[in-house]
Amino acid sequence: EVQLVQSGAEVKKPGESLKISCKGSGYSFTSYWIGWVRQMPGKGLEWMGIIYPGDSDTRYSPSFQGQVTISADKSISTAYLQWSSLKASDTAMYYCARQSSSWAPSDYWGQGTLVTVSS
Amino acid sequence: EIVMTQSPATLSVSPGERATLSCRASQSVSSNLAWYQQKPGQAPRLLIYGASTRATGIPARFSGSGSGTEFTLTISSLQSEDFAVYYCQQYNNWPTFGQGTKVEIK
């Protein structure tokens, strides 16, 4: 069974750093792309970027380039999304999702990680 | 960036009735269009990809059509579990989502 299991909810202060994770199982982690999607409170879905764990090829949506860093550790089948300096506007639910290619629909999704940034 | 526009924002439908949701792209995306369902507190679920192919395990009452810039998701006979928010997404290049259509009980 394909599963993407994300790390737990986080509460952070503005300016702090954060790294959240997404662990894949039930499939060949290095053969599929992992994408990250943001959903701000009460809002729609925004595609942030993707990574191919097989060779760490990473692509960012222009809206998120420079704002976050996407990485992966294929030895533990885990992808990451990180911030160096959080802002209140980063408060959102973040989902990871699997894709068969760089431009493809997302067929399996993680359960989401809620990030709350508040002073 | 390709802008996806969904209509209507909210659709009120009685159980058993047909629901028709629309999605328009600001430029052609060929058939690189997916539909997702999201229920409160849950992650999105892939329903349709390639504009008209149902994902694994999706009931036949869900169907998709269209190509280029105009797309439609039809739910032939709404069940109680179908009341949710539906998003279209183009993946012809940098993926973008529509703003969603909420299907609510009439």
Side-chain angles (χ1 to χ4, degrees):
Chain A
E1 179 193 8
V2 174
Q3 283 193 310
L4 295 173
V5 178
Q6 298 185 228
S7 50
E10 301 274 1
V11 179
K12 292 289 189 179
K13 290 181 167 37
E16 291 186 332
S17 62
L18 176 64
K19 192 174 190 178
I20 62 175
S21 66
C22 169
K23 183 174 177 61
S25 62
Y27 72 101
S28 174
F29 187 73
T30 54
S31 299
Y32 288 82
W33 295 74
I34 292 287
W36 288 94
V37 175
R38 183 176 79 174
Q39 188 167 38
M40 299 177 78
K43 302 299 184 182
L45 304 169
E46 300 172 272
W47 188 86
M48 302 174 71
I50 51 171
I51 188 166
Y52 188 72
D55 61 7
S56 292
D57 184 4
T58 307
R59 305 175 192 186
Y60 295 92
S61 164
S63 300
F64 290 91
Q65 178 82 48
Q67 307 305 307
V68 296
T69 301
I70 294 171
S71 60
D73 184 342
K74 61 185 179 183
S75 69
I76 55 172
S77 301
T78 301
Y80 301 97
L81 177 66
Q82 69 181 87
W83 296 259
S84 58
S85 181
L86 286 160
K87 303 183 286 289
S89 57
D90 293 317
T91 295
M93 181 71 80
Y94 293 88
Y95 295 102
C96 64
R98 189 186 82 161
Q99 300 174 203
S100 59
S101 64
S102 54
W103 307 141
S106 301
D107 58 355
Y108 286 90
W109 293 66
Q111 83 277 19
T113 296
L114 180 62
V115 174
T116 303
V117 184
S118 174
S119 55
Chain B
E1 173 181 308
I2 297 176
V3 177
M4 307 301 292
T5 303
Q6 292 185 241
S7 61
T10 304
L11 187 60
S12 298
V13 186
S14 299
E17 289 187 341
R18 173 187 295 258
T20 302
L21 289 66
S22 297
C23 175
R24 172 177 292 179
S26 60
Q27 64 189 75
S28 177
V29 299
S30 186
S31 294
N32 297 313
L33 190 285
W35 290 93
Y36 299 87
Q37 177 193 67
Q38 188 178 33
K39 297 179 181 179
Q42 296 185 17
R45 177 174 71 145
L46 178 64
L47 298 176
I48 300 284
Y49 63 93
S52 61
T53 303
R54 278 189 302 277
T56 303
I58 301 304
R61 64 180 181 273
F62 291 92
S63 63
S65 63
S67 66
T69 62
E70 300 283 343
F71 301 89
T72 300
L73 174 70
T74 301
I75 311 171
S76 60
S77 177
L78 271 159
Q79 307 298 303
S80 57
E81 62 266 30
D82 300 335
F83 292 96
V85 178
Y86 293 83
Y87 294 95
C88 62
Q89 178 206 36
Q90 67 78 21
Y91 50 92
N92 195 57
N93 51 28
W94 296 107
T96 49
F97 292 92
Q99 80 279 18
T101 290
K102 181 179 181 180
V103 177
E104 64 176 24
I105 300 174
K106 187 175 183 179

